[in-house]
Amino acid sequence: MSNNILKNVILRMDFLGEIDRSDSILENLKKVLLNDFPEFEMKEMASLEMIADQTQRTTKEKRFKSFIFQNKEIDNSITLEPDAIVFDIKKYKTYKEFKEIVQKVFQNLEGENSSAKVSRIGLRYINQIIVKQGNPFDWTGLIKEPLICSRHFIEDIDGVRRLMGVLEFNTPDYFIRFQYGWFNSEYPNPIARKEFLLDYDCSSTNEINFSSGLISQIDIFHDAIKELFKKSKFDELDKL
């Protein structure tokens, strides 16, 4: 099995309006992120905005700049959009290290954005488990039975191209969307490799002020996902 099953960590924050991304803020971020994200790039972006009234619907093109801090060697990036921040981490080591990077960004942004309102915050962990040998549909003793029992639904399973389940649920503080199963990286070919996906997406749309105190909210998401991950597998998976 590959050394690290965690293939992608995504943290996204959306704001009610545009945030301050002044030249001084960008220069400070370049300095504090230099070791982990040494490359900087500005991209001209465009999106379509739909405007509707009682008589008609029209679309309007909206152009904006995205500022991207990158580590191209390991494909990690932080993107500052006019109304969003996106951390896209492909090479993930520890939650402590990830949180330190998030804190650096928050601390350098919050001074000029103390009145900004966060409309949504989401943390997503995408785990792709790959075992080099064995029956692609046999995960007994590795993945908990409720997540793999759907393989018994069809007798001729050799022709199956994708077999996924989705669980969505609310708590008073957040929403979780959990996708699991045989995603099949070789789709649309029939499933031939022994792969299993555990994809946890935890989010909240409670409006809150933007500050470094948001880290405690991210901690809650992380702990919820970690607990759900533990419930999804057997310890034998760790031994592999």
Side-chain angles (χ1 to χ4, degrees), residues 49-61:
E49 181 180 7
M50 181 171 287
I51 303 171
D53 56 30
Q54 294 180 346
T55 59
Q56 64 179 353
R57 291 182 179 181
T58 59
T59 56
K60 178 182 177 183
E61 185 180 68

Side-chain angles (χ1 to χ4, degrees), residues 25 28-29 32 103-112:
I25 287 176
N28 285 336
L29 283 173
V32 299
Q103 285 176 318
K104 287 179 182 179
V105 175
F106 285 9
Q107 288 167 359
N108 279 272
L109 284 174
E110 67 175 320
E112 303 298 326

Side-chain angles (χ1 to χ4, degrees), residues 103-137:
Q103 285 176 318
K104 287 179 182 179
V105 175
F106 285 9
Q107 288 167 359
N108 279 272
L109 284 174
E110 67 175 320
E112 303 298 326
N113 293 283
S114 57
S115 60
K117 299 287 186 182
V118 177
S119 60
R120 183 189 181 278
I121 181 169
L123 179 64
R124 185 178 181 186
Y125 285 76
I126 303 173
N127 300 274
Q128 184 184 16
I129 306 165
I130 301 174
V131 179
K132 292 182 179 180
Q133 296 179 338
N135 183 341
F137 295 98

